[in-house]
Amino acid sequence: MTENLTTTCANHPDRPTALRCNRCDKYICSKCAVLTPTGYRCKECVNTQQKVFDTAQWYDYLTGSITAAALAYLAGLILVQLSFFVLILGPMAGVAIAEAVRFVIRRRRSRRLFITLAAATALGALPHLLGDL
């Protein structure tokens, strides 16, 4: 009358496990488990949580890129004239550009948006970098 109470992974029924997702309590094996700062979660819970962080709209790419490129170009115009003081004022200009772009895109975020805005900032500063060659 002894029953075998081994539990198996929800995605891999042939793998016994005692590990559960700390969000949905689904049994998961070591292959399905994703370590997060709060414990192990299943891949489905991690994917649904990551979608919340991608909040950018399509127009954020356009407005943010235009803002970043224009401000980087203007900062380049000013900083090229300052020679040595560019070491001090350059990082401040970068922070000012970032804060202005964050204001324009209303603090929405996305990994692709970050890459797009970094490229737009580099393109805005490029004429000044090539002008010194």
Side-chain angles (χ1 to χ4, degrees):
M1 299 212 22
T2 60
E3 293 182 29
N4 190 1
L5 297 176
T6 59
T7 55
T8 60
C9 175
N11 299 326
H12 303 102
D14 58 330
R15 295 185 183 182
T17 186
L19 183 63
R20 288 184 181 211
C21 172
N22 70 349
R23 187 164 185 231
C24 67
D25 273 343
K26 181 170 65 172
Y27 284 103
I28 50 176
C29 66
S30 60
K31 187 175 182 181
C32 297
V34 178
L35 181 60
T36 65
T38 59
Y40 287 102
R41 291 201 175 161
C42 64
K43 292 179 182 179
E44 293 82 17
C45 287
V46 170
N47 288 338
T48 58
Q49 184 180 7
Q50 284 183 345
K51 288 179 184 176
V52 173
F53 293 111
D54 291 337
T55 58
Q57 301 293 322
W58 67 270
Y59 49 84
D60 292 332
Y61 293 91
L62 181 64
T63 58
S65 295
I66 291 170
T67 304
L71 291 176
Y73 182 78
L74 291 174
L77 281 175
I78 297 168
L79 293 177
V80 165
Q81 307 300 322
L82 299 177
S83 66
F84 176 74
F85 294 107
V86 75
L87 296 174
I88 299 167
L89 297 176
M92 286 190 229
V95 169
I97 292 169
E99 289 300 319
V101 170
R102 286 181 64 198
F103 177 77
V104 167
I105 63 172
R106 296 196 164 116
R107 297 181 182 237
R108 287 186 283 266
R109 58 186 182 244
S110 166
R111 180 172 286 151
R112 280 186 246 141
L113 181 63
F114 169 74
I115 293 169
T116 304
L117 297 178
T121 305
L123 285 174
L126 191 62
H128 302 293
L129 295 174
L130 295 177
D132 290 343
L133 294 178

